[in-house]
């Protein structure tokens, strides 16, 4: 009798896991499509609430809609934790954190006015569309990009450090050349100008007036175009090294909810649970 109850309990958990985490069945796909529509509508409602004229006329309705979707997503979040074998693993995963952050702002708005505007973070949950419509190849491309960025991290850190040192030197030089009478009243402000110029943004709020200052500014602008290309080259080189040996599937781990496993994987790459 006890074994029968345990089997029954395991059965409904497995069924709900298929519906909530997978999109292989008609019920699972319908659940995810409804979820995506709900996310989209809730984000639109938050955006509309920020428009003063709409809020003045439909504020009460939007408030009710906001709480309705928050209650819906809260139930969904709790259900995900219940049906998964290792809820702690899912809670600290990317989607687990996003799911939690998508419901917290409404409750925080009871204490902090305006916190509900942070509900637009729900739009990140739309990334689930890759699983719903079986766009597994995009998951593979995303995995390659993530690997390339991770491999590029040391080089990019060194590059950013070099750029920081360069802006300090160039900003200080411009401060010495132009001085306070031309708007470069301090070294920090001059460094700000160097960053704006080097990144080719060019707000125009400060501009060199002397010939030497303008010559240095011209050099920084030309240098800026070259610097922009460096991170792109670093990441591109690393992406060429990444080999996608196995196609990526949309299968979700029953233990931690992780996705993006190789098609021939028998165990989850995040928690080690059997797939």
């Amino acid at each position: 009798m006890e074994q029968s109850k345990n089997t029954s309990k395991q059965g409904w958990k497995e069924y709900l896991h298929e519906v909530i985490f997978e999109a292989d069945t008609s019920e699972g796909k319908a659940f995810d499509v409804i979820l995506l529509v709900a996310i989209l509508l809730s984000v639109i409602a938050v955006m509309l609430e920020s428009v003063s004229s709409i809020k003045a006329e439909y504020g009460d309705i939007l408030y009710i809609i906001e709480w309705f979707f928050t209650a819906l997503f809260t139930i969904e979040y709790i259900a995900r934790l219940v049906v998964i074998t290792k809820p702690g693993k899912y809670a600290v995963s990317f989607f687990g954190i996003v799911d939690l952050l998508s419901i917290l702002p409404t409750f925080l708005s009871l204490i902090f006015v305006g916190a509900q505007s942070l509900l637009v973070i729900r739009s990140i949950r739309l990334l689930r569309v890759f699983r719903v419509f079986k766009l597994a190849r995009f998951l593979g491309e995303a995995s390659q990009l993530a690997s390339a960025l991770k491999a590029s991290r040391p080089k990019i850190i060194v590059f950013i450090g070099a750029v920081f040192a360069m802006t300090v030197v160039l900003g200080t030089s411009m401060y010495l050349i132009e001085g306070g009478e031309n708007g470069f009243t301090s070294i920090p402000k001059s460094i700000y100008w160097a960053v704006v110029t080097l990144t080719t943004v060019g707000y125009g709020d400060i501009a060199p007036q002397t010939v030497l200052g303008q010559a240095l500014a011209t050099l920084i602008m030309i240098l800026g175009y070259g610097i922009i290309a460096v991170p792109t080259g670093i990441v591109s080189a690393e992406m060429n090294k990444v080999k996608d040996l196995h196609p990526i599937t949309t299968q979700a781990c029953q233990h931690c909810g992780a996705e993006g496993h190789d098609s021939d994987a028998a165990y989850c790459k995040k928690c080690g649970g059997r797939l």
Side-chain angles (χ1 to χ4, degrees), residues 205-274:
D205 51 345
I206 311 173
Q209 303 299 320
T210 65
V211 175
L212 185 57
Q214 290 171 351
L216 180 59
T218 301
L219 177 63
I220 295 173
M221 286 180 239
I222 295 172
L223 192 61
Y225 284 103
I227 286 177
I228 290 173
V230 174
T232 306
I234 293 173
V235 177
S236 298
E238 292 297 336
M239 286 195 72
N240 289 331
K241 297 178 183 177
V242 176
K243 301 295 182 182
D244 189 19
L245 299 177
H246 302 285
I248 301 298
T249 68
T250 56
Q251 182 181 10
C253 174
Q254 189 174 352
H255 304 284
C256 68
E259 300 177 4
H261 301 96
D262 294 340
S263 59
D264 61 347
Y267 297 93
C268 175
K269 61 184 179 182
K270 297 293 184 182
C271 70
R274 189 168 186 82

Side-chain angles (χ1 to χ4, degrees), residues 1-175:
M1 189 71 173
E2 180 99 18
Q3 187 176 359
S4 177
K5 285 182 179 179
N6 289 336
T7 304
S8 176
K9 182 179 179 181
Q10 189 66 21
W12 70 261
K13 275 195 172 185
E14 288 180 355
Y15 173 74
L16 283 179
H17 182 274
E18 284 290 323
V19 172
I20 296 175
F21 282 94
E22 304 286 354
D24 296 324
T25 62
S26 56
E27 294 94 338
K29 188 169 185 177
F31 175 85
D32 279 343
V33 169
I34 292 171
L35 177 62
L36 291 175
V37 172
I39 293 169
L40 189 60
L41 291 176
S42 67
V43 171
I44 291 173
V46 172
M47 291 180 176
L48 290 176
E49 192 179 17
S50 67
V51 181
S52 55
S53 58
I54 295 177
K55 185 176 181 179
E57 190 169 353
Y58 303 103
D60 293 338
I61 297 174
L62 292 172
Y63 183 76
I64 294 171
I65 291 173
E66 178 186 316
W67 275 103
F68 168 76
F69 282 121
T70 298
L72 187 68
F73 294 141
T74 302
I75 294 171
E76 179 230 346
Y77 177 70
I78 294 172
R80 288 181 183 274
L81 295 177
V82 169
V83 302
I84 210 160
T85 308
K86 298 178 180 178
K89 290 281 187 180
Y90 176 74
V92 297
S93 67
F94 173 75
F95 275 116
I97 294 172
V98 170
D99 289 347
L100 178 61
L101 291 178
S102 70
I103 59 178
L104 282 181
T106 304
F107 296 107
L108 289 175
S109 67
L110 297 174
I111 304 173
F112 305 103
V113 178
Q116 67 273 17
S117 299
L118 296 174
L119 287 173
V120 292
I121 199 172
R122 288 175 181 168
S123 59
I124 300 177
R125 302 188 71 198
L126 292 172
L127 291 173
R128 296 182 190 275
V129 72
F130 291 121
R131 187 182 73 248
V132 176
F133 295 108
K134 294 298 180 185
L135 302 178
R137 67 182 185 277
F138 290 101
L139 293 177
E141 296 295 334
S143 178
Q144 286 188 23
L145 180 59
S147 298
L149 289 172
K150 187 176 181 180
S152 305
R153 185 169 54 190
K155 295 176 183 176
I156 291 178
I157 290 174
V158 171
F159 169 74
I160 291 175
V163 171
F164 175 76
M166 189 185 302
T167 54
V168 171
V169 172
L170 293 173
T172 304
S173 300
M174 188 59 74
Y175 169 74

